Amino acid sequence: MNKDYPEVLQVEVTNKCNFNCYMCIRRFWNANLMDLNLNLYERALSSISKYLKRIVLYGFGEPLINPNFIEMLRIARDILSKDSEIIVSTNGSMLNPTLFEKMARIGVDNILFSVDTVDACKLKCIREGAEPRTVLNNLYTAAKIKRRNRDRPKLGVEVVLMKSNFMDLPSLIEKMAEENIDYIIVSNVVPYSEEIFRETVYITVSRKPLEIVKLFLEHGRKAILDAIYEAFSGVYGVKIEPKFSKIIDSFWREAEEAGYWINLPLLFESVEKISMIGEVEKVFELSRKMADEYGVSLSLPNLYPDARNRRCPYVDKKAAFIRSDGAVAPCQEFAYKHPVYINMHIKTVNPVIFGDLKHEDIMSIWGKGEYVTFRETRRKLSESIPWCGDCLYSIFRCFFVESNSVDCFVNKPSCSECLYSANISQCNI
């Protein structure tokens, strides 16, 4: 038997949803809406049950909408080993106390609620279609039941971070601690449009280049033009004493010695956001202190990438994504066609599908040469795949950033602008 096998399955039991969230991919795709077939689901789990460490029932829909959802939980608990973890991620709207107790009895290990803020007005705006009182009451009631049930299953909260709610993080931590919530995962929003991008609180330029040129940014964009005039002044017979060109040359050398490139135009475009990130960092520092004090596990995202320290969470955890139609993708980001606005341009992300469970089993798909190569390349992601945020060509729409088809290192598909690889956005797998 091949020793390389998936240890985590993220299963999209449905891609239907009863919400229309402001930042959701569902506003920007054209997918066929369907529930995952129960028999197909059972076959997929049965074929690799002895290898699975975790199954995550969540995708781009609300899992509880699937009419077979409870049966799917029973199947998972019956098939998987007692040490294998069953995780459910939900918007919380349908998870009433009766249903929660039923899931707890079945043996679900971990339930994650999507709650971006405890401010009911903001939550209603962010999660269009939500009734905040219902969602929060379901969460708080579940926490009370959990306490009576020897703190099982674990309860978590997932926050999508934006300009509109980052200041609410400390109050959310305080409230979740009062309610005995076990952990909080915070992820930056993935901008599927320029409008959503304006709500982001991170930049895509590595922190090291930023530190090198930060003082230079005070001179403004005109400094770049002045450097060009200085460099070519001799051609026109008028010699200008070099100042900005020398500065730029020196920080380029420093960056290259450290192993980075400098995307100076994007840094100039990001000056206001860099200033705002300073405020976000203060909120993060306070949030960490509060979480430590209250004993709540808190996972925060990066606000800057590090081109030299990127990893694929799906490859690291040996995870695969099963779409609601049975198609198998290497990650949630590559499951459906959608746009993303990044590095000042729109990128088309095309689906990357390695197989279909209607015709193949998961192990045969996992062992396909193209899928094996995909994983091997991403095990050394920082070395094998470029980071476009540090490359000035990305903001000028170079060929390689128009889609995820190929990058300038000739990797197919491209992960060169993946926010998850930089831990700017976080996976809950």
Side-chain angles (χ1 to χ4, degrees), residues 35-196:
D35 299 323
L36 182 64
N37 178 273
L38 186 61
N39 292 331
L40 186 150
Y41 165 85
E42 186 170 9
R43 288 202 315 271
L45 264 61
S46 298
S47 65
I48 57 166
S49 59
K50 64 180 178 180
Y51 302 118
L52 286 178
K53 294 181 178 179
R54 183 182 307 116
I55 179 171
V56 184
L57 300 183
Y58 171 69
F60 289 115
E62 169 49 43
L64 276 69
I65 285 179
N66 188 317
N68 294 314
F69 181 68
I70 293 298
E71 183 60 25
M72 287 177 159
L73 294 179
R74 291 196 183 100
I75 289 170
R77 191 71 284 166
D78 289 344
I79 289 177
L80 302 182
S81 74
K82 64 178 182 180
D83 296 323
S84 298
E85 188 178 18
I86 301 173
I87 300 174
V88 175
S89 184
T90 174
N91 63 31
S93 62
M94 302 171 67
L95 191 49
N96 58 53
T98 301
L99 194 53
F100 179 82
E101 288 185 318
K102 187 178 292 187
M103 290 167 64
R105 285 195 300 271
I106 290 171
V108 174
D109 300 281
N110 210 313
I111 300 177
L112 191 65
F113 281 69
S114 296
V115 178
D116 308 300
T117 173
V118 289
D119 182 317
C121 291
K122 285 186 184 179
L123 188 59
K124 192 173 183 68
C125 289
I126 294 170
R127 302 278 173 179
E128 185 179 319
E131 177 43 62
R133 287 191 183 86
T134 299
V135 172
L136 293 172
N137 285 341
N138 283 346
L139 174 60
Y140 301 154
T141 304
K144 291 175 184 175
I145 297 171
K146 178 177 82 84
R147 286 195 291 270
R148 298 198 303 264
N149 196 31
R150 297 182 181 180
D151 280 335
R152 302 297 299 174
K154 286 185 178 180
L155 281 178
V157 164
E158 182 176 28
V159 178
V160 176
L161 203 70
M162 297 177 282
K163 280 183 184 179
S164 58
N165 68 329
F166 79 85
M167 291 295 292
D168 300 344
L169 190 55
S171 59
L172 182 139
I173 291 170
E174 184 174 29
K175 181 60 178 176
M176 294 305 111
E178 289 176 5
E179 297 295 336
N180 196 35
I181 302 304
D182 298 291
Y183 65 97
I184 298 169
I185 299 174
V186 182
S187 175
N188 280 300
V189 66
V190 176
Y192 298 115
S193 69
E194 187 172 359
E195 178 187 347
I196 298 175

Side-chain angles (χ1 to χ4, degrees), residues 32 67 136 148 174 214 233 245 261-262 341-342 352 408:
N32 293 323
L136 293 172
R148 298 198 303 264
E174 184 174 29
K214 198 163 188 178
S233 61
S245 58
W261 285 10
I262 296 177
Y341 186 87
I342 189 167
V352 178
C408 57

Side-chain angles (χ1 to χ4, degrees), residues 314 319-323 327-332 334-335 352-355 371:
Y314 282 83
F321 182 91
I322 298 177
R323 213 166 63 176
V328 177
C331 63
Q332 185 167 307
F334 282 169
V352 178
I353 304 300
F354 287 118
Y371 198 176

Side-chain angles (χ1 to χ4, degrees), residues 347-384:
K347 182 189 199 83
T348 299
V349 177
N350 291 303
V352 178
I353 304 300
F354 287 118
D356 189 335
L357 292 175
K358 291 191 291 293
H359 313 293
E360 308 163 274
D361 63 61
I362 191 72
M363 275 308 302
S364 64
I365 296 171
W366 185 262
K368 286 183 178 179
E370 58 183 343
Y371 198 176
V372 171
T373 300
F374 177 95
R375 296 193 301 274
E376 286 295 332
T377 302
R378 282 146 190 84
R379 288 195 178 100
K380 296 181 179 179
L381 195 147
S382 296
E383 302 168 22
S384 306

